[in-house]
Amino acid sequence: MSFNPDSDLSGTIARLFVYPVKSCAGIEVREALLTETGLDLDRAWMVVDAHGAFLTQRALPRMALIRPQLKTEEMVLRAPGMLALHVAIDAVEAPATVTVWRDTVPAWDMGAVAAQWFTDFLGQPCRLVRFDPDYRRLSSMDWTGGIEAPNQFSDGFPVLVASEASMQELNDRLTAAGHGAVGIERFRPNVVLGGVDSHDEDRVDMVRVDGGAEGEIHLQTVKPCARCPIPDIDPATAESSPEVGTTLRAYRADRRLNGAITFGMNAIVRQGAGQMLRVGQRVAADLRFD
């Protein structure tokens, strides 16, 4: 099946990121398996407190310093001053019930060794849990138009799409104000588009990806991504400073979210689950006017 690039805009997949543990560092990859819940193993694990409530960089910025590595049968976690933690990808220890935002979901506890590792590094009682793949946690159907779009421990949707041009515009504004440029890693996207204009991702409906002989992959953008203080946290140091959020507030108030500050678009998987996304794949989309 041939890919038709004739659309209002066209570009490529410039970068891909997977975040195995919610709110810990991401992994940049050249290719990733697309599943109905997003990129394979994206937000498959989550850190929770003693009551099972999810923990993020919002309250614990040191989580940014926890760096995962995915291997064939295990995930290896490293953090400053800590021995590496090896977590089996296909093994869990005990059932658990956890909360992520307003959702209470079944999960699997990863055991005492992992719990102690996170407790030691983050300085408070923690557990590491794995999403239960038999459970369907659905994205808000108010935004998906009634389409059932499952995700794991992401904030609310399977895939986050951003663009290099959007990041460049922010960095141009930062440097013009005398600040240093920052990396797109702060915004935690899964798919970064190249060759499109700044914030074109805001203005499209269906992002079509050239899947080659297997056919097109369709990612439908459904909701602007409202931004919390996490982009102010330097992922290399876990230090927070306000210039990113301050700069965004000057030009990114979004009427679709009652003036919330947004950057990037949440998307759902409409076609192509089971196929590979790869850096360099062609993308095309038509502009939406609403």
Side-chain angles (χ1 to χ4, degrees):
M1 187 181 299
S2 61
F3 177 74
N4 181 6
D6 291 336
S7 297
D8 291 334
L9 62 89
S10 60
T12 62
I13 293 179
R15 303 175 76 179
L16 289 168
F17 293 91
V18 177
Y19 306 87
V21 184
K22 183 178 182 67
S23 223
C24 294
I27 303 170
E28 185 164 8
V29 297
R30 298 293 299 176
E31 63 179 24
L33 175 68
L34 183 66
T35 74
E36 66 172 358
T37 61
L39 303 189
D40 189 32
L41 297 179
D42 188 69
R43 277 84 170 194
W45 291 271
M46 182 171 73
V47 186
V48 299
D49 66 13
H51 305 289
F54 78 115
L55 296 171
T56 74
Q57 291 181 37
R58 297 170 184 88
L60 296 169
R62 277 169 61 82
M63 292 181 72
L65 302 178
I66 299 172
R67 302 193 173 279
Q69 178 185 10
L70 290 174
K71 298 188 174 183
T72 305
E73 297 181 351
E74 66 178 6
M75 173 176 65
V76 182
L77 295 164
R78 293 181 172 85
M82 302 290 291
L83 295 174
L85 173 67
H86 295 255
V87 176
I89 287 177
D90 291 326
V92 294
E93 293 216 2
T97 300
V98 300
T99 56
V100 51
W101 295 112
R102 296 179 182 177
D103 298 335
T104 299
V105 300
W108 292 95
D109 191 279
M110 298 304 297
V113 173
Q116 191 62 53
W117 192 91
F118 278 92
T119 296
D120 290 346
F121 185 68
L122 296 175
Q124 69 175 67
C126 299
R127 308 289 301 187
L128 180 67
V129 298
R130 174 79 185 263
F131 191 83
D132 183 346
D134 291 332
Y135 181 77
R136 283 173 66 82
R137 178 180 173 236
L138 297 181
S139 306
S140 169
M141 287 194 279
D142 292 340
W143 288 97
T144 67
I147 297 165
E148 290 193 358
N151 60 92
Q152 297 199 55
F153 286 136
S154 63
D155 278 350
F157 297 89
V159 178
L160 182 63
V161 179
S163 70
E164 291 184 317
S166 302
M167 196 66 222
Q168 186 61 54
E169 179 180 357
L170 172 59
N171 278 327
D172 288 346
R173 290 171 178 264
L174 282 168
T175 55
H179 304 298
V182 299
I184 202 166
E185 293 84 352
R186 293 187 183 221
F187 292 92
R188 306 178 69 76
N190 296 114
V191 178
V192 181
L193 303 179
V196 301
D197 290 338
S198 177
H199 296 291
D200 269 348
E201 61 270 26
D202 291 1
R203 298 181 280 268
V204 300
D205 178 42
M206 194 73 71
V207 177
R208 300 185 295 110
V209 182
D210 183 359
E214 295 184 75
E216 290 185 1
I217 296 164
H218 292 173
L219 302 175
Q220 182 179 357
T221 58
V222 293
K223 184 189 181 199
C225 185
R227 287 301 168 174
C228 64
I230 287 180
D232 281 330
I233 299 170
D234 184 339
T237 65
E239 297 294 325
S240 182
S241 55
E243 61 268 13
V244 172
T246 299
T247 302
L248 285 171
R249 280 190 287 277
Y251 74 108
R252 287 299 299 167
D254 198 315
R255 61 176 176 78
R256 294 171 291 183
L257 294 183
N258 299 315
I261 306 306
T262 66
F263 189 101
M265 287 290 290
N266 290 297
I268 61 176
V269 180
R270 294 298 307 277
Q271 179 175 303
Q275 293 177 231
M276 299 297 290
L277 287 179
R278 295 183 175 89
V279 170
Q281 280 174 320
R282 295 182 297 168
V283 300
D286 289 322
L287 295 174
R288 176 179 58 204
F289 298 96
D290 53 16

